[in-house]
């Protein structure tokens, strides 16, 4: 089974949705802390903060997952030096790419055929993808899940907050410029 086939296609029925909720609850039950990295503006250093937060937690001996939900501009694989790698599938689950000590990376960039490929999706498709990335990934037991978001309060951060919000904490990144601060 390929990574793409691992994601369910078609219309979700209410029974599918209920099952999805149960699977997501079970996955989240094994994650002790969730940190969502957000900002009002782009280019302020979110991905850099998310990558460094992940590495500093891993250096302290924690087991970390990093979920890059910047679907149109994923940069975590590049920052962690694993761009070009592709996620595998085992027992119908997607396997994060492991790097450094106990760092498990999931990103749209690790699913695409090529780094040149553009993702042209609207809101509902992105929301579904984010749900599937939580549901279908073999995260295992994690001390921390760090989520790197695209800027603003659009589809991706909203979906992340909706799915993970109950137990998540936010790290808001900004720069000192007035135009960056007014968007925070
Ligand atoms: N503290 C910093 N000082 C200077 N440049 C930084 C800093 N943090 C990030 N950068 C640079 O700014 C650019 C955007 O960073 P990035 O983490 O991709 O931002 P975002 O994820 O918010 O779009 C990158 O070139 C990065 O190397
Ligand atoms: Mg970024």
């Amino acid at each position: 089974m390929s990574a793409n086939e691992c994601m369910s296609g078609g219309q979700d029925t209410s029974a599918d949705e209920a099952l999805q909720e149960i699977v997501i609850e079970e996955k989240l039950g094994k994650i002790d802390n969730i940190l969502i990295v957000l900002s009002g503006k782009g280019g302020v250093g979110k991905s850099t903060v998310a990558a460094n937060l992940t590495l500093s937690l891993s250096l302290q001996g924690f087991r970390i997952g990093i979920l890059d939900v910047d679907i149109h501009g994923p940069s975590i694989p590049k920052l962690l030096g694993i761009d070009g790698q592709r996620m595998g599938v085992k027992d119908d689950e997607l396997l994060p790419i492991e790097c450094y000590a106990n760092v498990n990376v999931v990103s749209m960039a690790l699913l695409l055929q090529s780094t040149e490929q553009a993702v042209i999706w609207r809101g509902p498709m992105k929301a579904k993808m984010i749900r599937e990335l939580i549901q279908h990934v073999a995260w295992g037991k994690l001390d921390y899940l760090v989520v790197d978001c695209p800027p603003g309060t659009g589809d991706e951060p909203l979906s992340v907050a909706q799915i993970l919000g109950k137990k998540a904490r936010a790290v808001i990144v900004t720069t000192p410029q007035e135009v960056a601060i007014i968007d925070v």
Side-chain angles (χ1 to χ4, degrees):
M1 185 184 274
S2 73
N4 287 341
E5 283 165 342
C6 193
M7 307 292 197
S8 61
Q11 213 63 18
D12 284 343
T13 65
S14 57
D16 287 340
E17 279 170 16
L19 181 64
Q20 198 175 41
E21 287 305 321
I22 293 168
V23 176
I24 289 175
E25 280 296 311
E26 194 196 322
K27 296 260 170 189
L28 297 186
K30 293 186 195 155
I31 302 173
D32 290 344
N33 298 281
I34 299 175
L35 303 173
I36 306 177
V37 183
L38 301 156
S39 75
K41 273 229 169 300
V44 291
K46 276 179 306 304
S47 300
T48 309
V49 166
N52 283 311
L53 194 55
T54 297
L55 293 180
S56 65
L57 287 167
S58 114
L59 285 173
Q60 291 174 58
F62 294 115
R63 188 177 147 82
I64 320 294
I66 178 162
L67 173 61
D68 178 5
V69 296
D70 195 335
I71 287 170
H72 303 287
S75 43
I76 291 298
K78 179 79 182 166
L79 289 172
L80 294 179
I82 54 162
D83 51 328
Q85 296 198 36
R86 294 290 164 266
M87 290 167 66
V89 177
K90 191 179 172 210
D91 299 334
D92 288 353
E93 286 198 306
L94 285 165
L95 300 173
I97 300 286
E98 284 190 54
C99 62
Y100 301 97
N102 284 323
V103 174
N104 298 273
V105 191
V106 171
S107 169
M108 196 64 203
L110 302 171
L111 285 169
L112 299 174
Q113 300 291 330
S114 117
T115 47
E116 306 283 292
Q117 211 174 334
V119 178
I120 308 164
W121 287 351
R122 291 188 189 273
M125 191 68 180
K126 291 190 275 187
K128 187 167 153 60
M129 183 58 165
I130 291 169
R131 210 162 258 284
E132 302 234 348
L133 285 179
I134 294 161
Q135 183 191 355
H136 288 294
V137 168
W139 290 107
K141 171 104 187 63
L142 296 178
D143 295 306
Y144 286 89
L145 176 65
V146 176
V147 186
D148 183 32
C149 289
T153 49
D155 296 306
E156 297 88 330
L158 282 180
S159 291
V160 167
Q162 228 168 13
I163 302 165
L164 305 174
K166 266 192 248 166
K167 64 188 294 184
R169 286 169 286 168
V171 176
I172 313 281
V173 182
T174 189
T175 51
Q177 292 81 8
E178 201 177 337
V179 275
I181 290 169
I182 53 173
D183 285 332
V184 170

